[in-house]
């Protein structure tokens, strides 16, 4: 039972971690919460579903979903957020919520409201790990998450573009003065964050099904994880996502499944009030 | 004629406006239109409440749908389980939402900007989950049905039996007018000015001796109480409360109305609530496209008209005033009085 919950938690947590990356990366460069990020998660899963329906093999469908998620994030930034760079934060927030409404309802218009299961070649098989039967797809989710995390670490720390993104998160004006194209950096940030978010949606598609409002709670959880890890801290977001998944899964298993979503919210509040810099963050003096 | 002039055109306009508003139920026989108008009045209360904290104090909340829900659920529970009438549930609900608002404000308002947004979001979601899961009290996903109407009222000339939508209209209008007058008095008081000072520059306000945290908490409490009142009215008007009404979408709807109408303006609140409600009801004919267009409208408004409808109106008013002033300065004979007239909004 405990091990079961732990594995469920880790699987959920991987998804939250992937979602959290998108929030945290955007926060890093633009200091704003992209409330439409949950819809990228949903969009990616739907595109994967459709490409598979059209007869594409699984790997192609999954990559198509991920790429379209990245494209969606890129377009979102290019068409809306870019025009609002100087707007008050509140306007950006409402615009993001507006985009979320548009995307959710377009999905409903195109694909309908009924949940559908995304196919996975692994779902039918179980693996025996030390006497425990674990679904192969769960293992697949965990492995993919680990690979993505390593790739992201590599991108952020070893490539020039990744370093530019890091520079932009420290000071975007200074970055421009250094001859880095800030707009390009922002676009890349959105594309990568959204691509990873879409991947999260595709990975859970076979387990939790695909439907137009699937992104709402996943978005909130991913967002909670990004706050837990400390806004803007990518490794922190990954660890926090896993922690959140495990905590939630234990709470659902041992307290009450109805309040499982409340766990994340209580954690979010506790973190905001007690450690607003996140579990792994350092205290930074406020600039006045 | 002299008499009217003395009264002032503005007051006359106000009088005519109120009389016209009172006449609405006589002119509209379609119960659906009456229902929409009543709904607008409830939304106006909500928007006025949220605007106090967002528009006048500069603290953003996306959890006010929960206060609306608390008001509605308290009215529902007290009237169905204890048999209390509307006039008892209303003060109880206002008091209870104010207390909960105070607690949430006291905890949450230590946070600033985005962090406050996140915290209110979390509070709102937790309260919504309580509505959904505390089945013994809230009825779970089914909610509470059969909430009684307010007791019939007799004013001699006309009676309100609360058997049809038109009967609710004078009651709701009364509360909206009370709320507007109260808001006006509140924002013009010393306390209201302190709030505006905090919105414009928190640090400067603090150095002027304004107790920033306390002021914010008090305003948050008042703002929650408005939503509680709206919730009670909603419960007794619709007769059913269920959790999905008071979820995140409701909080977003209210905030959107504040933003589209224009923050920090009573007329903006009225316009925002009316236009968005009418818009969303008018689009019911095409349910698939309804929310899609609604979302697009929000995005476009935020991109191109960041200060909402009042922003547009004020812009053109300033243009006209400027032109009038220029005309005067050129020495033209026309005597244009540039004194602020008309909308009466600063």
């Amino acid at each position: 039972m405990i091990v079961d919950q732990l594995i469920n938690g880790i699987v959920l947590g991987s998804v939250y971690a992937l979602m959290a990356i998108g929030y945290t990366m955007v926060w890093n460069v633009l200091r704003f919460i992209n409330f439409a990020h949950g819809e990228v998660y949903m969009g990616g899963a739907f595109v994967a579903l459709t490409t598979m329906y059209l007869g594409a093999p699984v790997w192609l469908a999954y990559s198509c979903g991920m790429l379209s998620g990245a494209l969606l994030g890129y377009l979102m930034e290019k068409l809306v957020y870019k025009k609002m760079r100087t707007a008050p934060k509140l306007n950006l927030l409402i615009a993001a919520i507006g985009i979320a409404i548009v995307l959710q309802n377009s999905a409903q218009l195109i694909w309908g409201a009924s949940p559908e299961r995304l196919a996975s070649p692994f779902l039918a098989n179980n693996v025996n790990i030390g006497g425990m039967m674990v679904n192969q797809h769960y293992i697949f989710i965990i492995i993919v998450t680990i690979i993505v995390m390593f790739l992201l670490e590599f991108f952020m720390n070893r490539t020039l573009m990744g370093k530019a993104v890091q520079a932009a998160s420290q000071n975007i004006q200074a970055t421009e003065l250094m001859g880095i194209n800030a707009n390009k950096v922002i676009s890349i940030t959105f594309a990568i964050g959204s691509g990873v978010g879409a991947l999260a949606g595709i990975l859970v598609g076979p387990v939790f099904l695909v439907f137009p409002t699937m992104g709402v709670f996943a978005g909130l959880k991913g967002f909670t994880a990004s706050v837990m890890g400390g806004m803007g801290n990518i490794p922190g977001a990954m660890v926090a996502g896993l922690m959140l998944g495990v905590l939630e899964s234990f709470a659902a298993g041992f307290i009450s499944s109805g309040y499982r979503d409340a766990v994340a919210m209580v954690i979010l509040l506790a973190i905001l009030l007690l450690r607003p810099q996140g579990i792994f963050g350092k205290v930074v003096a406020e600039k006045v | 004629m002299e008499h009217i002039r003395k009264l002032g055109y503005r007051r006359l306009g106000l009088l005519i406006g109120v009389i016209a508003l009172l006449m609405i139920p006589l002119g509209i026989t379609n119960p659906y239109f009456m229902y929409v108008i009543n709904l607008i009045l409830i939304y106006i209360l909500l928007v006025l409440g949220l605007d106090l904290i967002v528009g006048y104090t500069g603290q953003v909340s996306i959890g006010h749908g929960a206060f609306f829900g608390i008001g509605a659920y308290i009215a529902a529970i007290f009237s169905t389980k204890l048999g209390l009438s509307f006039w008892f549930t209303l003060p109880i609900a206002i008091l209870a939402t104010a207390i909960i608002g105070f607690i949430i404000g006291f905890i949450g308002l230590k946070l600033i900007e985005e962090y406050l947004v996140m915290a209110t979001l979390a509070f709102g979601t937790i309260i919504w989950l309580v509505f959904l899961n505390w089945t013994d009290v809230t009825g779970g996903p089914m909610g509470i049905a059969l909430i009684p109407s307010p007791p019939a009222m007799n004013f001699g000339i006309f009676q309100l039996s609360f058997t049809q939508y038109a009967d609710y209209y004078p009651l709701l209008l009364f509360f909206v007018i009370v709320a507007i007058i109260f808001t006006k008095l509140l924002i013009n008081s010393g306390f209201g000015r302190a709030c505006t000072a905090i919105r414009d520059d928190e640090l400067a306000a603090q150095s002027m001796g304004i107790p920033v945290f306390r002021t914010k908490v008090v305003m948050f409490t008042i703002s929650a109480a408005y939503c509680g009142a709206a919730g009670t009215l909603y419960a007794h008007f619709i007769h059913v409360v269920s959790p999905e009404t008071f979820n995140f979408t409701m909080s977003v709807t209210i905030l959107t109305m504040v933003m589209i109408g224009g923050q920090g303006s009573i007329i903006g609140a009225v316009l925002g609530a009316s236009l968005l409600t009418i818009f969303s009801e008018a689009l019911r004919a095409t349910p698939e496209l309804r929310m899609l267009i609604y979302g697009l409208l929000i995005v476009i408004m935020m991109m191109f008209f960041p200060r909402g409808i009042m922003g547009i109106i004020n812009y053109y008013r300033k243009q006209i005033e400027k032109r009038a002033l220029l005309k005067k300065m050129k020495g033209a004979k026309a005597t244009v009085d540039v004194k602020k007239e008309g909308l009466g909004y600063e």
Side-chain angles (χ1 to χ4, degrees), chain B residues 1 49 65 69 105 118 137 150 153 158 254 276-277 310-311 321 326 335:
Chain B
M1 242 9 234
M118 303 173 199
V137 177
M153 286 194 276
F158 74 108
I254 311 171
L276 276 192
T277 312
M310 279 320 283
E321 274 171 19
L326 279 174
T335 49

Side-chain angles (χ1 to χ4, degrees), chain A residues 44-62:
Chain A
F46 265 119
V47 172
L49 193 75
T50 309
T51 23
M52 211 171 280
Y53 184 74
L54 293 174
V58 172
W59 64 269
L60 183 65
Y62 283 16

Side-chain angles (χ1 to χ4, degrees), chain A residues 100-164:
Chain A
I101 295 175
V102 170
L103 291 178
Q104 246 176 54
N105 289 285
S106 321
Q108 188 154 348
L109 210 61
I110 302 169
W111 289 288
S114 58
E116 279 172 78
R117 191 181 289 278
L118 189 61
S120 158
F122 310 110
L123 200 61
N125 310 322
N126 284 327
V127 194
N128 193 335
I129 302 176
M132 277 277 310
M133 296 306 276
V134 182
N135 193 311
Q136 225 177 49
H137 188 77
Y138 285 12
I139 308 282
F140 175 66
I141 292 181
I142 294 170
I143 291 171
V144 171
T145 308
I146 293 170
I147 293 172
V148 168
M149 284 174 179
F150 273 109
L151 283 178
L152 224 97
E153 242 345 83
F154 178 80
F155 169 76
M156 290 300 279
N157 295 319
R158 298 272 184 276
T159 64
L160 209 56
M161 203 59 213
K163 285 179 182 164

Side-chain angles (χ1 to χ4, degrees), chain B residues 172-200:
Chain B
L172 291 169
L173 186 67
F174 169 74
F175 280 107
V176 167
I177 290 175
V178 168
I180 287 177
I181 293 170
F182 184 73
T183 309
K184 192 92 188 156
L185 291 174
L186 189 69
I187 55 176
N188 287 332
S189 68
F191 172 74
R193 286 176 203 282
C195 289
T196 328
I198 292 172
R199 175 194 66 191
D200 293 339

Side-chain angles (χ1 to χ4, degrees), chain B residues 7-187:
Chain B
L7 199 69
Y9 290 115
R10 231 181 100 189
R11 255 179 233 172
L12 185 75
L14 208 67
L15 203 67
I16 293 173
V18 170
I19 292 170
L21 280 173
L22 284 170
M23 291 296 167
I24 284 181
L26 298 179
I28 294 173
T29 46
N30 186 338
Y32 172 66
F33 288 154
M34 223 41 242
Y35 164 80
V36 174
I37 290 170
N38 288 342
L39 210 58
I40 290 173
L41 291 175
I42 291 172
Y43 274 120
I44 290 176
L45 273 180
L46 288 169
V47 175
L48 282 172
L50 184 60
D51 203 14
L52 285 178
I53 196 76
V54 175
Y56 293 106
T57 322
Q59 310 299 312
V60 181
S61 159
I62 38 175
H64 264 54
F67 294 125
F68 183 40
I70 291 170
Y73 266 102
I74 284 177
I77 291 162
F78 277 84
S79 61
T80 53
K81 297 212 167 131
L82 298 178
L84 292 180
S85 87
F86 167 74
W87 295 105
F88 289 101
T89 57
L90 182 72
I92 294 171
I94 292 178
L95 196 70
T97 19
I99 290 169
I100 294 169
F102 173 79
I103 295 168
I104 291 178
F106 192 79
I107 301 170
L109 285 164
K110 294 202 169 80
L111 302 167
I112 52 157
E113 292 172 9
E114 288 87 355
Y115 295 99
L116 177 64
V117 175
M118 303 173 199
T120 51
L121 170 66
F123 272 122
T125 314
I126 290 170
I127 291 171
W128 173 67
L129 286 166
V130 170
F131 291 154
L132 197 63
N133 290 305
W134 198 13
T135 317
D136 299 339
V137 177
T138 62
M142 300 290 289
I144 300 172
L146 299 174
I147 302 162
S149 310
M153 286 194 276
N154 197 337
F155 291 103
I157 326 157
F158 74 108
Q159 290 158 332
L160 299 176
S161 56
F162 297 109
T163 47
Q164 52 187 8
Y165 288 140
D167 284 352
Y168 286 89
Y169 175 75
L171 184 75
L172 291 169
L173 186 67
F174 169 74
F175 280 107
V176 167
I177 290 175
V178 168
I180 287 177
I181 293 170
F182 184 73
T183 309
K184 192 92 188 156
L185 291 174
L186 189 69
I187 55 176

Side-chain angles (χ1 to χ4, degrees), chain A residues 130-286:
Chain A
M132 277 277 310
M133 296 306 276
V134 182
N135 193 311
Q136 225 177 49
H137 188 77
Y138 285 12
I139 308 282
F140 175 66
I141 292 181
I142 294 170
I143 291 171
V144 171
T145 308
I146 293 170
I147 293 172
V148 168
M149 284 174 179
F150 273 109
L151 283 178
L152 224 97
E153 242 345 83
F154 178 80
F155 169 76
M156 290 300 279
N157 295 319
R158 298 272 184 276
T159 64
L160 209 56
M161 203 59 213
K163 285 179 182 164
V165 173
Q166 282 193 20
S169 35
Q170 284 180 11
N171 188 336
I172 202 151
Q173 274 90 20
T175 315
E176 280 208 306
L177 291 176
M178 294 299 126
I180 297 168
N181 185 347
N183 280 330
K184 201 172 149 198
V185 170
I186 292 170
S187 292
I188 294 246
T189 310
F190 264 89
I192 290 178
S194 304
V196 173
L199 178 68
I202 296 163
L203 287 176
V204 296
V207 189
F208 299 130
L209 310 183
V210 182
F211 48 96
T213 50
M214 69 188 279
V216 179
F217 262 103
L220 276 180
K221 304 291 176 53
F223 166 62
T224 307
S226 63
V227 176
M228 263 172 93
M231 265 322 217
N233 182 344
I234 296 178
M238 295 171 182
V239 180
L242 283 173
M243 280 171 60
L244 181 65
V246 172
L247 275 174
E248 203 186 290
S249 164
F250 275 110
F254 297 109
I255 304 170
S256 146
S257 62
Y259 284 107
R260 71 176 303 156
D261 294 328
V263 173
M265 294 299 120
V266 172
I267 293 174
L268 174 60
L269 273 179
I271 296 281
L272 282 173
L273 293 167
L274 305 174
R275 260 189 95 76
Q277 71 276 28
I279 300 176
F280 310 106
K282 282 189 238 101
V283 183
V284 184
E286 196 194 340

